[in-house]
Amino acid sequence: MRDLKHLIYFEDLLQEANNELVRKAKDEGKKALGYTCYFMPEVLLDLPGAFSVRLRAPKCSSPDMATYYMSSRTCHYGRSLFERALEGGFNFLDAQLATETCTVTCRFQEHLQRMPGVINNATFKIDFIDVPFKKTENSIQHYEEQLQEHVLNFLNREFGIDTSDEAILKSIELHNEVCEIINEIGDYRKLDNPTITGYEFAVITLVSMVCPKHLIIDKLRETRDEMKTREPDAKKNYRVKVLLAGSENDDPEFTKLIESCGGLVVCDRYCYGAVEARQPIEIMEGESPLRAVARHYLETSQCTRFMEQKDMRARKQKIADLAKEYKADGIIVASNKFCEYWSYERVIDTVVLQRDFGYPVCSIEKEYINNASGQLRTRFQAFVESVELKKIQEGK
């Protein structure tokens, strides 16, 4: 396939949090608002006068300073974020909007709050929201109240951001267009011979999360239009199709590693993936914009922090449905080492997705940045070969 016009530019934007477009938006006078979790609705951080940045710590392999504060037995992701903060990589942030969800990222954000000067920015502020563990009407009401007080009121009080219904509607409109573009590009992965790789799609999805949307959307539109005429390779350059599920994953190189072993990643059901984060927000009749946002983010989430049996079973069904929709031959479930929620979920997925749905599953525990790529390559090669053999035996 011919190279995507903007792919190298997109890759460059992912090399650091304070990328070219973030700096440009700051020069325009907009406030940079960091977040780490799906439950901090980016649509509320993209209100006029501000922009959201989902935090990453690319190329952070040795979070030694952060480990001193957070212990070596906590998730590498949270420690890597704090390491990058200690290095000055997040000094551009005007605020961090935090969630009481993932334990280690919560600890990372508490350190920002309790250690003045880590973020070297005189305007820097931080606030937390409490996120319910259920998806009832009462939960939605509580979540809406949390968003009103600790996001909208906070932004208006600290930075004078317009948080009116009209401003939220404008942000939802931009958000939904980005979602529609990403989903349209992602649909090409459903083809018998997909015209986009999992690595390319991961890069495109990530730039839509870490760059100001008003500055990146034109290039996303161009990429969508480019995909309409992109032809697949005459000969397939993969052996099997796989769905990648699991915990936090903002490293496209991990997807590239899988694909170098012959497994084309056709769907991403993980934190920072498009399956959840790029669903358009629908406002139902009689709903306020904020209520619609609260309902959308709570009801659409497949996060493993929801532990009721019906939610746990629904997550397995969701992965199986996605595998069928995207014509995946097998499933890779990857969790970060010491991930509190996904360490349990990964084990259950490995059993249930094979036993109840018949999909071959490869279970991986990994670090945030993968230094053990040789070991992972061996695992992925063996998995691809086993799935390929299964297809031959079934006559597919």
Side-chain angles (χ1 to χ4, degrees), residues 198-215:
Y199 168 77
E200 291 170 332
F201 187 75
V203 169
I204 293 168
T205 301
L206 279 173
V207 295
S208 75
M209 296 180 182
V210 303
C211 298
K213 292 179 179 59
H214 71 290
L215 295 178

mmCIF file with all atom_site columns, all heavy atoms in Angstrom, residues 198-215:
data_model
loop_
_atom_site.group_PDB
_atom_site.id
_atom_site.type_symbol
_atom_site.label_atom_id
_atom_site.label_alt_id
_atom_site.label_comp_id
_atom_site.label_asym_id
_atom_site.label_entity_id
_atom_site.label_seq_id
_atom_site.pdbx_PDB_ins_code
_atom_site.Cartn_x
_atom_site.Cartn_y
_atom_site.Cartn_z
_atom_site.occupancy
_atom_site.B_iso_or_equiv
_atom_site.pdbx_formal_charge
_atom_site.auth_seq_id
_atom_site.auth_comp_id
_atom_site.auth_asym_id
_atom_site.auth_atom_id
_atom_site.pdbx_PDB_model_num
ATOM 1   N N   . GLY A 1 198 ? -2.997  -1.957 11.605 1.00 0.00 ? 198 GLY A N   1
ATOM 2   C CA  . GLY A 1 198 ? -3.308  -1.619 12.983 1.00 0.00 ? 198 GLY A CA  1
ATOM 3   C C   . GLY A 1 198 ? -2.390  -0.540 13.525 1.00 0.00 ? 198 GLY A C   1
ATOM 4   O O   . GLY A 1 198 ? -2.815  0.323  14.300 1.00 0.00 ? 198 GLY A O   1
ATOM 5   N N   . TYR A 1 199 ? -1.127  -0.583 13.123 1.00 0.00 ? 199 TYR A N   1
ATOM 6   C CA  . TYR A 1 199 ? -0.165  0.442  13.561 1.00 0.00 ? 199 TYR A CA  1
ATOM 7   C C   . TYR A 1 199 ? -0.591  1.819  13.067 1.00 0.00 ? 199 TYR A C   1
ATOM 8   O O   . TYR A 1 199 ? -0.614  2.787  13.839 1.00 0.00 ? 199 TYR A O   1
ATOM 9   C CB  . TYR A 1 199 ? 1.226   0.112  13.037 1.00 0.00 ? 199 TYR A CB  1
ATOM 10  C CG  . TYR A 1 199 ? 2.216   1.246  13.198 1.00 0.00 ? 199 TYR A CG  1
ATOM 11  C CD1 . TYR A 1 199 ? 2.784   1.529  14.434 1.00 0.00 ? 199 TYR A CD1 1
ATOM 12  C CD2 . TYR A 1 199 ? 2.551   2.063  12.114 1.00 0.00 ? 199 TYR A CD2 1
ATOM 13  C CE1 . TYR A 1 199 ? 3.672   2.590  14.589 1.00 0.00 ? 199 TYR A CE1 1
ATOM 14  C CE2 . TYR A 1 199 ? 3.437   3.112  12.264 1.00 0.00 ? 199 TYR A CE2 1
ATOM 15  C CZ  . TYR A 1 199 ? 3.990   3.379  13.503 1.00 0.00 ? 199 TYR A CZ  1
ATOM 16  O OH  . TYR A 1 199 ? 4.854   4.436  13.644 1.00 0.00 ? 199 TYR A OH  1
ATOM 17  N N   . GLU A 1 200 ? -0.924  1.920  11.794 1.00 0.00 ? 200 GLU A N   1
ATOM 18  C CA  . GLU A 1 200 ? -1.344  3.215  11.234 1.00 0.00 ? 200 GLU A CA  1
ATOM 19  C C   . GLU A 1 200 ? -2.577  3.737  11.958 1.00 0.00 ? 200 GLU A C   1
ATOM 20  O O   . GLU A 1 200 ? -2.650  4.926  12.298 1.00 0.00 ? 200 GLU A O   1
ATOM 21  C CB  . GLU A 1 200 ? -1.634  3.071  9.742  1.00 0.00 ? 200 GLU A CB  1
ATOM 22  C CG  . GLU A 1 200 ? -0.403  2.814  8.895  1.00 0.00 ? 200 GLU A CG  1
ATOM 23  C CD  . GLU A 1 200 ? -0.744  2.445  7.463  1.00 0.00 ? 200 GLU A CD  1
ATOM 24  O OE1 . GLU A 1 200 ? -1.840  1.878  7.227  1.00 0.00 ? 200 GLU A OE1 1
ATOM 25  O OE2 . GLU A 1 200 ? 0.087   2.701  6.563  1.00 0.00 ? 200 GLU A OE2 1
ATOM 26  N N   . PHE A 1 201 ? -3.534  2.849  12.202 1.00 0.00 ? 201 PHE A N   1
ATOM 27  C CA  . PHE A 1 201 ? -4.756  3.286  12.861 1.00 0.00 ? 201 PHE A CA  1
ATOM 28  C C   . PHE A 1 201 ? -4.490  3.710  14.298 1.00 0.00 ? 201 PHE A C   1
ATOM 29  O O   . PHE A 1 201 ? -5.084  4.687  14.787 1.00 0.00 ? 201 PHE A O   1
ATOM 30  C CB  . PHE A 1 201 ? -5.805  2.174  12.823 1.00 0.00 ? 201 PHE A CB  1
ATOM 31  C CG  . PHE A 1 201 ? -7.149  2.604  13.328 1.00 0.00 ? 201 PHE A CG  1
ATOM 32  C CD1 . PHE A 1 201 ? -7.971  3.404  12.558 1.00 0.00 ? 201 PHE A CD1 1
ATOM 33  C CD2 . PHE A 1 201 ? -7.587  2.227  14.592 1.00 0.00 ? 201 PHE A CD2 1
ATOM 34  C CE1 . PHE A 1 201 ? -9.212  3.823  13.025 1.00 0.00 ? 201 PHE A CE1 1
ATOM 35  C CE2 . PHE A 1 201 ? -8.821  2.637  15.070 1.00 0.00 ? 201 PHE A CE2 1
ATOM 36  C CZ  . PHE A 1 201 ? -9.644  3.430  14.284 1.00 0.00 ? 201 PHE A CZ  1
ATOM 37  N N   . ALA A 1 202 ? -3.596  3.008  14.989 1.00 0.00 ? 202 ALA A N   1
ATOM 38  C CA  . ALA A 1 202 ? -3.254  3.384  16.362 1.00 0.00 ? 202 ALA A CA  1
ATOM 39  C C   . ALA A 1 202 ? -2.644  4.782  16.407 1.00 0.00 ? 202 ALA A C   1
ATOM 40  O O   . ALA A 1 202 ? -2.960  5.588  17.288 1.00 0.00 ? 202 ALA A O   1
ATOM 41  C CB  . ALA A 1 202 ? -2.293  2.362  16.962 1.00 0.00 ? 202 ALA A CB  1
ATOM 42  N N   . VAL A 1 203 ? -1.772  5.086  15.454 1.00 0.00 ? 203 VAL A N   1
ATOM 43  C CA  . VAL A 1 203 ? -1.151  6.414  15.387 1.00 0.00 ? 203 VAL A CA  1
ATOM 44  C C   . VAL A 1 203 ? -2.218  7.484  15.141 1.00 0.00 ? 203 VAL A C   1
ATOM 45  O O   . VAL A 1 203 ? -2.238  8.526  15.820 1.00 0.00 ? 203 VAL A O   1
ATOM 46  C CB  . VAL A 1 203 ? -0.080  6.450  14.274 1.00 0.00 ? 203 VAL A CB  1
ATOM 47  C CG1 . VAL A 1 203 ? 0.387   7.887  14.016 1.00 0.00 ? 203 VAL A CG1 1
ATOM 48  C CG2 . VAL A 1 203 ? 1.109   5.581  14.641 1.00 0.00 ? 203 VAL A CG2 1
ATOM 49  N N   . ILE A 1 204 ? -3.101  7.235  14.204 1.00 0.00 ? 204 ILE A N   1
ATOM 50  C CA  . ILE A 1 204 ? -4.152  8.210  13.872 1.00 0.00 ? 204 ILE A CA  1
ATOM 51  C C   . ILE A 1 204 ? -5.069  8.441  15.065 1.00 0.00 ? 204 ILE A C   1
ATOM 52  O O   . ILE A 1 204 ? -5.429  9.585  15.381 1.00 0.00 ? 204 ILE A O   1
ATOM 53  C CB  . ILE A 1 204 ? -4.949  7.719  12.645 1.00 0.00 ? 204 ILE A CB  1
ATOM 54  C CG1 . ILE A 1 204 ? -4.069  7.726  11.400 1.00 0.00 ? 204 ILE A CG1 1
ATOM 55  C CG2 . ILE A 1 204 ? -6.183  8.587  12.420 1.00 0.00 ? 204 ILE A CG2 1
ATOM 56  C CD1 . ILE A 1 204 ? -4.662  6.995  10.212 1.00 0.00 ? 204 ILE A CD1 1
ATOM 57  N N   . THR A 1 205 ? -5.463  7.366  15.746 1.00 0.00 ? 205 THR A N   1
ATOM 58  C CA  . THR A 1 205 ? -6.333  7.501  16.915 1.00 0.00 ? 205 THR A CA  1
ATOM 59  C C   . THR A 1 205 ? -5.647  8.305  18.016 1.00 0.00 ? 205 THR A C   1
ATOM 60  O O   . THR A 1 205 ? -6.253  9.187  18.631 1.00 0.00 ? 205 THR A O   1
ATOM 61  C CB  . THR A 1 205 ? -6.726  6.116  17.454 1.00 0.00 ? 205 THR A CB  1
ATOM 62  O OG1 . THR A 1 205 ? -7.408  5.384  16.436 1.00 0.00 ? 205 THR A OG1 1
ATOM 63  C CG2 . THR A 1 205 ? -7.639  6.233  18.657 1.00 0.00 ? 205 THR A CG2 1
ATOM 64  N N   . LEU A 1 206 ? -4.371  8.009  18.273 1.00 0.00 ? 206 LEU A N   1
ATOM 65  C CA  . LEU A 1 206 ? -3.657  8.690  19.349 1.00 0.00 ? 206 LEU A CA  1
ATOM 66  C C   . LEU A 1 206 ? -3.507  10.183 19.093 1.00 0.00 ? 206 LEU A C   1
ATOM 67  O O   . LEU A 1 206 ? -3.659  10.991 20.016 1.00 0.00 ? 206 LEU A O   1
ATOM 68  C CB  . LEU A 1 206 ? -2.283  8.050  19.559 1.00 0.00 ? 206 LEU A CB  1
ATOM 69  C CG  . LEU A 1 206 ? -2.261  6.771  20.389 1.00 0.00 ? 206 LEU A CG  1
ATOM 70  C CD1 . LEU A 1 206 ? -0.880  6.144  20.369 1.00 0.00 ? 206 LEU A CD1 1
ATOM 71  C CD2 . LEU A 1 206 ? -2.676  7.053  21.828 1.00 0.00 ? 206 LEU A CD2 1
ATOM 72  N N   . VAL A 1 207 ? -3.199  10.577 17.852 1.00 0.00 ? 207 VAL A N   1
ATOM 73  C CA  . VAL A 1 207 ? -3.026  12.014 17.610 1.00 0.00 ? 207 VAL A CA  1
ATOM 74  C C   . VAL A 1 207 ? -4.334  12.761 17.843 1.00 0.00 ? 207 VAL A C   1
ATOM 75  O O   . VAL A 1 207 ? -4.321  13.944 18.216 1.00 0.00 ? 207 VAL A O   1
ATOM 76  C CB  . VAL A 1 207 ? -2.463  12.324 16.205 1.00 0.00 ? 207 VAL A CB  1
ATOM 77  C CG1 . VAL A 1 207 ? -1.063  11.781 16.041 1.00 0.00 ? 207 VAL A CG1 1
ATOM 78  C CG2 . VAL A 1 207 ? -3.386  11.835 15.096 1.00 0.00 ? 207 VAL A CG2 1
ATOM 79  N N   . SER A 1 208 ? -5.462  12.078 17.651 1.00 0.00 ? 208 SER A N   1
ATOM 80  C CA  . SER A 1 208 ? -6.747  12.739 17.898 1.00 0.00 ? 208 SER A CA  1
ATOM 81  C C   . SER A 1 208 ? -7.001  12.933 19.388 1.00 0.00 ? 208 SER A C   1
ATOM 82  O O   . SER A 1 208 ? -7.890  13.703 19.770 1.00 0.00 ? 208 SER A O   1
ATOM 83  C CB  . SER A 1 208 ? -7.890  11.932 17.275 1.00 0.00 ? 208 SER A CB  1
ATOM 84  O OG  . SER A 1 208 ? -8.199  10.768 18.028 1.00 0.00 ? 208 SER A OG  1
ATOM 85  N N   . MET A 1 209 ? -6.234  12.252 20.238 1.00 0.00 ? 209 MET A N   1
ATOM 86  C CA  . MET A 1 209 ? -6.394  12.376 21.685 1.00 0.00 ? 209 MET A CA  1
ATOM 87  C C   . MET A 1 209 ? -5.378  13.305 22.326 1.00 0.00 ? 209 MET A C   1
ATOM 88  O O   . MET A 1 209 ? -5.636  13.853 23.393 1.00 0.00 ? 209 MET A O   1
ATOM 89  C CB  . MET A 1 209 ? -6.271  10.992 22.350 1.00 0.00 ? 209 MET A CB  1
ATOM 90  C CG  . MET A 1 209 ? -7.340  10.008 21.961 1.00 0.00 ? 209 MET A CG  1
ATOM 91  S SD  . MET A 1 209 ? -7.074  8.427  22.810 1.00 0.00 ? 209 MET A SD  1
ATOM 92  C CE  . MET A 1 209 ? -8.416  7.460  22.113 1.00 0.00 ? 209 MET A CE  1
ATOM 93  N N   . VAL A 1 210 ? -4.214  13.462 21.698 1.00 0.00 ? 210 VAL A N   1
ATOM 94  C CA  . VAL A 1 210 ? -3.136  14.218 22.347 1.00 0.00 ? 210 VAL A CA  1
ATOM 95  C C   . VAL A 1 210 ? -2.879  15.563 21.680 1.00 0.00 ? 210 VAL A C   1
ATOM 96  O O   . VAL A 1 210 ? -2.006  16.304 22.136 1.00 0.00 ? 210 VAL A O   1
ATOM 97  C CB  . VAL A 1 210 ? -1.829  13.397 22.379 1.00 0.00 ? 210 VAL A CB  1
ATOM 98  C CG1 . VAL A 1 210 ? -2.050  12.065 23.075 1.00 0.00 ? 210 VAL A CG1 1
ATOM 99  C CG2 . VAL A 1 210 ? -1.281  13.161 20.979 1.00 0.00 ? 210 VAL A CG2 1
ATOM 100 N N   . CYS A 1 211 ? -3.634  15.885 20.643 1.00 0.00 ? 211 CYS A N   1
ATOM 101 C CA  . CYS A 1 211 ? -3.466  17.163 19.947 1.00 0.00 ? 211 CYS A CA  1
ATOM 102 C C   . CYS A 1 211 ? -4.751  17.971 20.027 1.00 0.00 ? 211 CYS A C   1
ATOM 103 O O   . CYS A 1 211 ? -5.840  17.396 20.076 1.00 0.00 ? 211 CYS A O   1
ATOM 104 C CB  . CYS A 1 211 ? -3.113  16.933 18.467 1.00 0.00 ? 211 CYS A CB  1
ATOM 105 S SG  . CYS A 1 211 ? -1.564  16.068 18.198 1.00 0.00 ? 211 CYS A SG  1
ATOM 106 N N   . PRO A 1 212 ? -4.652  19.292 20.017 1.00 0.00 ? 212 PRO A N   1
ATOM 107 C CA  . PRO A 1 212 ? -5.863  20.117 19.962 1.00 0.00 ? 212 PRO A CA  1
ATOM 108 C C   . PRO A 1 212 ? -6.680  19.759 18.723 1.00 0.00 ? 212 PRO A C   1
ATOM 109 O O   . PRO A 1 212 ? -6.167  19.766 17.611 1.00 0.00 ? 212 PRO A O   1
ATOM 110 C CB  . PRO A 1 212 ? -5.307  21.546 19.871 1.00 0.00 ? 212 PRO A CB  1
ATOM 111 C CG  . PRO A 1 212 ? -3.920  21.451 20.432 1.00 0.00 ? 212 PRO A CG  1
ATOM 112 C CD  . PRO A 1 212 ? -3.425  20.098 20.058 1.00 0.00 ? 212 PRO A CD  1
ATOM 113 N N   . LYS A 1 213 ? -7.940  19.435 18.916 1.00 0.00 ? 213 LYS A N   1
ATOM 114 C CA  . LYS A 1 213 ? -8.740  18.906 17.808 1.00 0.00 ? 213 LYS A CA  1
ATOM 115 C C   . LYS A 1 213 ? -8.931  19.920 16.687 1.00 0.00 ? 213 LYS A C   1
ATOM 116 O O   . LYS A 1 213 ? -8.984  19.552 15.506 1.00 0.00 ? 213 LYS A O   1
ATOM 117 C CB  . LYS A 1 213 ? -10.078 18.409 18.340 1.00 0.00 ? 213 LYS A CB  1
ATOM 118 C CG  . LYS A 1 213 ? -9.932  17.179 19.221 1.00 0.00 ? 213 LYS A CG  1
ATOM 119 C CD  . LYS A 1 213 ? -11.267 16.706 19.753 1.00 0.00 ? 213 LYS A CD  1
ATOM 120 C CE  . LYS A 1 213 ? -11.077 15.456 20.610 1.00 0.00 ? 213 LYS A CE  1
ATOM 121 N NZ  . LYS A 1 213 ? -10.178 15.671 21.758 1.00 0.00 ? 213 LYS A NZ  1
ATOM 122 N N   . HIS A 1 214 ? -9.031  21.191 17.044 1.00 0.00 ? 214 HIS A N   1
ATOM 123 C CA  . HIS A 1 214 ? -9.266  22.190 15.992 1.00 0.00 ? 214 HIS A CA  1
ATOM 124 C C   . HIS A 1 214 ? -8.040  22.357 15.091 1.00 0.00 ? 214 HIS A C   1
ATOM 125 O O   . HIS A 1 214 ? -8.162  22.879 13.983 1.00 0.00 ? 214 HIS A O   1
ATOM 126 C CB  . HIS A 1 214 ? -9.660  23.530 16.608 1.00 0.00 ? 214 HIS A CB  1
ATOM 127 C CG  . HIS A 1 214 ? -8.546  24.245 17.328 1.00 0.00 ? 214 HIS A CG  1
ATOM 128 N ND1 . HIS A 1 214 ? -8.003  23.805 18.519 1.00 0.00 ? 214 HIS A ND1 1
ATOM 129 C CD2 . HIS A 1 214 ? -7.860  25.385 16.999 1.00 0.00 ? 214 HIS A CD2 1
ATOM 130 C CE1 . HIS A 1 214 ? -7.049  24.625 18.912 1.00 0.00 ? 214 HIS A CE1 1
ATOM 131 N NE2 . HIS A 1 214 ? -6.938  25.599 18.005 1.00 0.00 ? 214 HIS A NE2 1
ATOM 132 N N   . LEU A 1 215 ? -6.876  21.893 15.553 1.00 0.00 ? 215 LEU A N   1
ATOM 133 C CA  . LEU A 1 215 ? -5.655  22.011 14.753 1.00 0.00 ? 215 LEU A CA  1
ATOM 134 C C   . LEU A 1 215 ? -5.312  20.729 13.993 1.00 0.00 ? 215 LEU A C   1
ATOM 135 O O   . LEU A 1 215 ? -4.551  20.774 13.031 1.00 0.00 ? 215 LEU A O   1
ATOM 136 C CB  . LEU A 1 215 ? -4.473  22.406 15.650 1.00 0.00 ? 215 LEU A CB  1
ATOM 137 C CG  . LEU A 1 215 ? -4.568  23.787 16.309 1.00 0.00 ? 215 LEU A CG  1
ATOM 138 C CD1 . LEU A 1 215 ? -3.354  24.025 17.207 1.00 0.00 ? 215 LEU A CD1 1
ATOM 139 C CD2 . LEU A 1 215 ? -4.680  24.896 15.265 1.00 0.00 ? 215 LEU A CD2 1
#
